[in-house]
Amino acid sequence: MLMELNIRDVQTYAKQCFTNSRLSHNWEHTCRVCNLCRHIGQVEGADLEILMVSAYLHDVGRAWQDQSKGAVCHAEKGAEIARTLLDKYVISNERKDGIIHCIRAHRFRGNCTPATLEAKTLFDADKLDSIGAIGVGRAFQFAGEVGAKLHNPTVRPEETAPYTMEDTAYREFKLKLSKIKACMLTAEGRRLANGRHAFMEMFFERFLREHKGEW
């Protein structure tokens, strides 16, 4: 017998998926994304049920990507996991497809473009948590998780590979984080991104100076 969709059940299931996750993409990240989704979704007028279910489930495939060192797309895997979960609940195919689309389309480096307001909101919320002060902290945290150096000024970030010693926080900033502000899809997301982007630029400008021993 199918069950009524309950956001608390979804939340409980999602939380269990992060038992052995890396700290840079753990349950706390999902909770921050949910808070951002709720704020942006209310401002933009999104369907909050579709949005919040998507937000809780958006990274449930992350462990597969980490274990494969990037060979598996966590957005595609997460969409697959979410569909299996949602098949247990009473929910229309249209709304189920809407949730699956949000999850599949939330990845910055993904191949699926957010086409709905809910998908655009989740995309923005997830990206906002990777920039600003929290984004800088997570970038260094992830670099430590993959065994990367603090910084390597002798190589160009564009010539390095992910999940290696050269996958530094500065590499993440140059190749991804610095581009996020221009990719925001909602008006409120763009507003929030401006301040976070400015902080990152200031931080990494000073970081490079201090790394060279300047004062």
Side-chain angles (χ1 to χ4, degrees), residues 116-180:
T116 65
L117 176 57
E118 292 73 33
K120 292 175 182 178
T121 299
L122 176 58
F123 180 92
D124 281 5
D126 186 55
K127 302 308 156 289
L128 283 168
D129 198 57
S130 64
I131 61 176
I134 198 75
V136 169
R138 290 180 65 212
F140 280 99
Q141 190 172 48
F142 180 77
E145 290 167 356
V146 300
K149 302 172 182 177
L150 177 65
H151 180 54
N152 186 353
T154 65
V155 297
R156 298 176 66 248
E158 295 81 2
E159 298 171 351
T160 59
Y163 293 90
T164 67
M165 288 183 65
E166 304 303 339
D167 198 358
T168 64
Y170 181 67
R171 177 187 187 276
E172 182 76 353
F173 169 69
K174 288 295 292 182
L175 299 188
K176 177 183 175 181
L177 307 187
S178 62
K179 300 177 173 64
I180 285 178

Side-chain angles (χ1 to χ4, degrees), residues 60-62 64-65 72-83 103:
V60 293
R62 185 75 203 190
W64 279 263
Q65 180 171 312
V72 174
C73 172
H74 77 276
E76 292 292 339
K77 184 65 178 179
E80 176 186 324
I81 294 170
R83 184 173 292 280
I103 297 169

